[in-house]
Amino acid sequence: IESERIKKGRIMAKPTGFLEFSRELPQKRNPRERVKDYKEIETKPDDGITAKQSARCMDCGIPFCHSGCPLGNIIPEFNDAVYHQNWKLAYEILISTNNFPEFTGRICPAPCEASCVLGINKPAVAIEYIEKSIIEKAFELGYARPRIPSFRTGRKVAVVGSGPAGLAAAAQLNAAGHAVTVFERADEIGGLLRYGIPDFKLDKAILDRRLNLMEEEGIKFLTNSNVGVTVTIQHLREEFDAIVLCGGSTVPRDLSIPGRNLKGVHFAMDFLTQQNKRVNYKPVEEEPIMATGKNVLVIGGGDTGSDCVGTSNRQGAATVTQIEILSKPPKERTAQMPWPNWPMILRTSTSHEEGCERQWSVVTKEFLGDSNKSLKAIRLVEIEWKPGEGGKPASFVEIPGTEREVPCELALLALGFLHPQHQGLLDQLQVEYDERGNVKCKNFQTSIPGIFAAGDMRRGQSLVVWAISEGREAARAVDEYLNEFSVLERKSVGMLHL
């Protein structure tokens, strides 16, 4: 029935749904209560809300959400299936392009929604929420089961790194019939998903649920396996027919100003990783980084900075302030950010809702310490941005009289990442780098035949959804390299053909 409906071109859920229903998202736990624990913030998906939201998907002719999504998710079709309560079909459509909707349904900024045609003059369809609803329903109803390949090629592939790119590459290569082994230098599989994203955004039981399926499908995971240190490159090249590097972008951007070496100035990811270990009852071997009772300053206005805000509040910080060097974004799109482009507008995260002072156009001048060389304050100054002339980038000037000192015992640097770690694995391989220090590739293959790269290691720091896309596309390139053709589909760019 569903196949016939789509063949006849009737793929919208409810013709008048976008007129009848407004955008609605599931209830979130009360901020005062949720800061007392690390459980997920959102409540369980509501079938009634999901049905109404899927009904808002229009018969828009050209679904720009397809191109807005790095994975090319086939969104109108799974919205239609959800509206008609055909959860199995919705699940099959969704996983045809996205290996891990339970991750993207929780932590993706939803570029698809920014490209939603309804978003031109109304709030966009709640695509991310619908995606999460589909995958949770699939697990509940037993549709999400191991998909064991019906044949094996006899080829072996090593995937180095178990973040979203590495897991996606492993899943696709295994589906193509290759024997896949994933090497992870940490003590647990998951990379950024395990030790970078707080549990209140992604419960690690969700990650383990997926990893269990992947193991049942035949993928082998090896932890505490630091390739280039505890595992030799020579071993991988002798044992495997191809290697996929998915180590991520792990060299953080530093802030080289006076006082940087004071006790109390830390990289954001070190802070987040420690807390993820505590939540999951793992020992923290490094010197503890805690916000309890301290004035916390988060330097950097992105998602990582937001995660630091939420974690600091849960640890019982006295105050939490987040500063950003850029100007405060507008609340709505401007002429410079037209639909369907991603709009650089003001976004308030769930962590900000829990309590945080936010400041824009602020530069950190100096970290100030006490007699014990511990951080006690930070000197800040407000700036004004000046547009560049003759094609030059914009620059800023300090505003006289705005320099000030603010009390601070913990400063967290959430300034992004520069490039992957060169020392060790990459330098030993002698791969070529691009101008930004990332691994240089052609069709995901590095300068060394048989060795591929994907995710942040190749494209630079980016989104989880881009990492999954990279892993999928790299897997196809590896499959072509091994077989001279690939059984894996290219990224979807149009209608699903059932």
Side-chain angles (χ1 to χ4, degrees), residues 47-86:
D47 288 357
I49 295 177
T50 305
K52 289 181 179 179
Q53 292 311 298
S54 63
R56 298 183 68 237
C57 187
M58 308 189 309
D59 187 13
C60 54
I62 300 177
F64 280 81
C65 54
H66 283 187
S67 58
C69 175
L71 287 164
N73 282 344
I74 310 164
I75 296 163
E77 286 83 352
F78 70 58
N79 282 339
D80 180 75
V82 168
Y83 178 73
H84 290 94
Q85 297 295 290
N86 192 336

Coordinates of all heavy atoms in Angstrom, one line a residue, residues 47-86:
D47 N 3.9 9.7 20.8 CA 3.3 9.3 19.5 C 2.4 10.3 18.9 O 2.3 10.6 17.7 CB 2.6 7.9 19.6 CG 3.6 6.8 19.8 OD1 4.8 7.0 19.8 OD2 3.1 5.6 20.0
G48 N 1.6 10.9 19.8 CA 0.6 11.9 19.3 C 1.3 13.2 18.8 O 0.9 13.7 17.7
I49 N 2.3 13.6 19.5 CA 3.1 14.8 19.0 C 3.8 14.4 17.7 O 3.8 15.2 16.7 CB 4.1 15.2 20.1 CG1 3.4 15.8 21.3 CG2 5.0 16.3 19.5 CD1 4.3 16.2 22.4
T50 N 4.4 13.2 17.7 CA 5.1 12.8 16.5 C 4.2 12.8 15.2 O 4.6 13.2 14.2 CB 5.8 11.4 16.7 OG1 6.6 11.5 17.8 CG2 6.6 11.1 15.5
A51 N 3.0 12.3 15.4 CA 2.0 12.2 14.3 C 1.7 13.6 13.8 O 1.6 13.8 12.6 CB 0.8 11.4 14.7
K52 N 1.4 14.5 14.7 CA 1.1 15.9 14.3 C 2.3 16.5 13.6 O 2.1 17.3 12.6 CB 0.7 16.7 15.5 CG -0.7 16.3 16.1 CD -1.1 17.2 17.2 CE -2.4 16.8 17.8 NZ -2.8 17.6 19.0
Q53 N 3.5 16.3 14.1 CA 4.6 17.0 13.5 C 4.9 16.4 12.1 O 5.3 17.1 11.2 CB 5.8 16.8 14.4 CG 5.7 17.6 15.7 CD 5.3 19.0 15.5 OE1 6.0 19.8 14.8 NE2 4.1 19.4 16.0
S54 N 4.7 15.1 11.9 CA 4.9 14.5 10.6 C 3.9 15.0 9.6 O 4.1 15.1 8.4 CB 4.9 13.0 10.7 OG 3.6 12.5 11.1
A55 N 2.7 15.3 10.1 CA 1.6 15.9 9.3 C 1.9 17.2 8.7 O 1.4 17.7 7.7 CB 0.3 15.9 10.1
R56 N 2.9 17.9 9.4 CA 3.2 19.3 8.9 C 4.1 19.3 7.7 O 4.3 20.3 7.1 CB 3.9 20.0 10.1 CG 3.1 20.2 11.3 CD 3.8 21.0 12.4 NE 4.0 22.4 11.9 CZ 5.1 23.0 11.8 NH1 6.3 22.4 12.1 NH2 5.2 24.3 11.5
C57 N 4.6 18.1 7.3 CA 5.5 18.0 6.1 C 4.6 18.3 4.9 O 3.6 17.7 4.7 CB 6.1 16.7 6.1 SG 7.3 16.5 4.7
M58 N 5.0 19.2 4.1 CA 4.2 19.7 2.9 C 4.6 18.9 1.6 O 5.6 18.3 1.5 CB 4.5 21.2 2.6 CG 4.3 22.1 3.8 SD 4.3 23.8 3.4 CE 5.8 23.9 2.4
D59 N 3.7 19.0 0.7 CA 4.0 18.5 -0.7 C 4.8 19.7 -1.4 O 4.2 20.4 -2.2 CB 2.8 18.1 -1.4 CG 3.0 17.5 -2.8 OD1 4.2 17.1 -3.0 OD2 2.1 17.4 -3.6
C60 N 6.0 19.9 -1.0 CA 6.7 21.1 -1.4 C 7.4 21.0 -2.8 O 8.1 21.9 -3.2 CB 7.8 21.5 -0.4 SG 9.0 20.2 0.0
G61 N 7.2 19.9 -3.5 CA 7.8 19.8 -4.9 C 9.2 19.5 -4.8 O 9.6 18.4 -5.2
I62 N 10.1 20.4 -4.4 CA 11.5 20.1 -4.3 C 11.8 20.1 -2.8 O 11.9 21.2 -2.2 CB 12.4 21.1 -5.0 CG1 12.0 21.1 -6.5 CG2 13.8 20.8 -4.8 CD1 12.8 22.1 -7.4
P63 N 12.0 19.0 -2.2 CA 12.3 19.0 -0.7 C 13.8 19.4 -0.4 O 14.7 18.5 -0.5 CB 12.1 17.5 -0.3 CG 12.3 16.7 -1.6 CD 12.0 17.6 -2.7
F64 N 14.0 20.6 -0.1 CA 15.3 21.1 0.2 C 15.9 20.5 1.4 O 17.2 20.5 1.6 CB 15.3 22.6 0.3 CG 15.3 23.4 -1.0 CD1 14.1 23.5 -1.7 CD2 16.4 23.9 -1.5 CE1 14.0 24.2 -2.9 CE2 16.4 24.6 -2.8 CZ 15.2 24.7 -3.4
C65 N 15.1 19.8 2.2 CA 15.6 19.2 3.4 C 16.6 18.1 3.0 O 17.5 17.7 3.7 CB 14.5 18.6 4.3 SG 13.4 17.5 3.4
H66 N 16.4 17.5 1.8 CA 17.3 16.4 1.3 C 18.8 17.0 1.2 O 19.7 16.4 1.6 CB 16.9 15.9 -0.1 CG 15.8 15.0 0.0 ND1 15.3 14.3 -1.1 CD2 15.0 14.6 1.0 CE1 14.3 13.6 -0.8 NE2 14.0 13.7 0.5
S67 N 18.9 18.1 0.6 CA 20.2 18.7 0.4 C 20.7 19.4 1.7 O 21.9 19.5 1.9 CB 20.2 19.8 -0.7 OG 19.2 20.8 -0.5
G68 N 19.8 19.8 2.6 CA 20.3 20.4 3.8 C 20.9 19.3 4.7 O 21.8 19.6 5.5
C69 N 20.5 18.1 4.6 CA 21.0 17.0 5.4 C 22.3 16.4 4.8 O 22.3 16.0 3.6 CB 20.0 15.9 5.6 SG 20.6 14.4 6.4
P70 N 23.4 16.4 5.5 CA 24.7 15.8 4.9 C 24.5 14.4 4.5 O 25.3 13.9 3.7 CB 25.7 16.0 6.0 CG 25.2 17.2 6.8 CD 23.7 17.0 6.8
L71 N 23.6 13.7 5.1 CA 23.4 12.3 4.8 C 22.4 12.1 3.7 O 22.3 10.9 3.2 CB 22.8 11.5 6.1 CG 23.8 11.3 7.2 CD1 23.1 10.9 8.5 CD2 24.8 10.2 6.8
G72 N 21.7 13.1 3.2 CA 20.7 13.0 2.2 C 19.5 12.2 2.7 O 18.9 11.4 1.9
N73 N 19.1 12.3 4.0 CA 18.0 11.6 4.5 C 16.7 11.8 3.7 O 16.5 13.0 3.2 CB 17.7 12.0 5.9 CG 18.7 11.3 6.9 OD1 19.4 10.3 6.6 ND2 18.8 11.8 8.1
I74 N 15.9 10.8 3.5 CA 14.7 10.9 2.6 C 13.6 11.2 3.5 O 12.8 10.4 3.9 CB 14.5 9.5 1.9 CG1 15.9 9.1 1.2 CG2 13.5 9.6 0.8 CD1 15.9 7.7 0.8
I75 N 13.5 12.5 3.8 CA 12.6 13.0 4.9 C 11.1 13.0 4.6 O 10.3 12.5 5.4 CB 13.1 14.4 5.3 CG1 14.6 14.2 5.9 CG2 12.2 15.0 6.4 CD1 15.3 15.5 6.0
P76 N 10.7 13.5 3.5 CA 9.2 13.5 3.3 C 8.6 12.1 3.3 O 7.5 11.9 3.8 CB 9.0 14.2 1.9 CG 10.3 15.0 1.7 CD 11.4 14.2 2.4
E77 N 9.3 11.1 2.8 CA 8.8 9.8 2.8 C 8.7 9.2 4.2 O 7.7 8.5 4.5 CB 9.7 8.9 1.9 CG 9.6 9.1 0.4 CD 10.4 10.3 -0.1 OE1 11.0 11.0 0.7 OE2 10.5 10.5 -1.3
F78 N 9.7 9.4 5.0 CA 9.5 8.8 6.4 C 8.5 9.6 7.2 O 7.9 9.0 8.1 CB 10.9 8.5 7.1 CG 11.7 9.7 7.6 CD1 11.2 10.6 8.4 CD2 13.0 9.8 7.2 CE1 12.0 11.6 8.9 CE2 13.8 10.8 7.6 CZ 13.3 11.7 8.5
N79 N 8.4 10.9 6.9 CA 7.3 11.6 7.6 C 5.9 11.1 7.2 O 5.1 10.9 8.1 CB 7.4 13.1 7.2 CG 8.5 13.9 7.9 OD1 8.9 13.4 8.9 ND2 8.9 15.0 7.3
D80 N 5.7 10.7 6.0 CA 4.5 10.2 5.5 C 4.2 8.8 6.2 O 3.1 8.6 6.6 CB 4.5 10.0 4.0 CG 3.2 9.5 3.5 OD1 2.2 10.2 3.4 OD2 3.2 8.3 3.1
A81 N 5.2 8.0 6.2 CA 5.1 6.7 6.9 C 4.7 6.8 8.3 O 3.9 6.1 8.9 CB 6.3 5.9 6.7
V82 N 5.4 7.8 9.0 CA 5.1 8.0 10.4 C 3.6 8.4 10.6 O 2.9 8.0 11.5 CB 6.0 9.1 11.0 CG1 5.6 9.5 12.4 CG2 7.4 8.5 11.1
Y83 N 3.2 9.4 9.8 CA 1.8 9.9 9.9 C 0.8 8.7 9.8 O -0.2 8.7 10.5 CB 1.5 10.9 8.8 CG 0.1 11.4 8.9 CD1 -0.3 12.3 9.9 CD2 -0.8 11.0 7.9 CE1 -1.6 12.7 10.0 CE2 -2.1 11.5 8.0 CZ -2.5 12.3 9.0 OH -3.8 12.8 9.1
H84 N 1.1 7.7 8.9 CA 0.2 6.6 8.7 C 0.5 5.4 9.7 O 0.1 4.3 9.5 CB 0.2 6.2 7.3 CG -0.4 7.2 6.4 ND1 0.3 8.1 5.7 CD2 -1.7 7.3 6.0 CE1 -0.5 8.9 5.0 NE2 -1.8 8.4 5.1
Q85 N 1.4 5.7 10.7 CA 1.7 4.7 11.7 C 2.4 3.5 11.1 O 2.3 2.4 11.8 CB 0.5 4.4 12.5 CG -0.2 5.5 13.3 CD 0.7 6.1 14.4 OE1 1.0 5.4 15.4 NE2 1.3 7.3 14.2
N86 N 3.0 3.6 10.0 CA 3.8 2.5 9.4 C 5.2 2.7 9.9 O 6.1 3.1 9.1 CB 3.7 2.5 7.9 CG 4.2 1.2 7.3 OD1 5.0 0.5 7.9 ND2 3.7 0.9 6.1

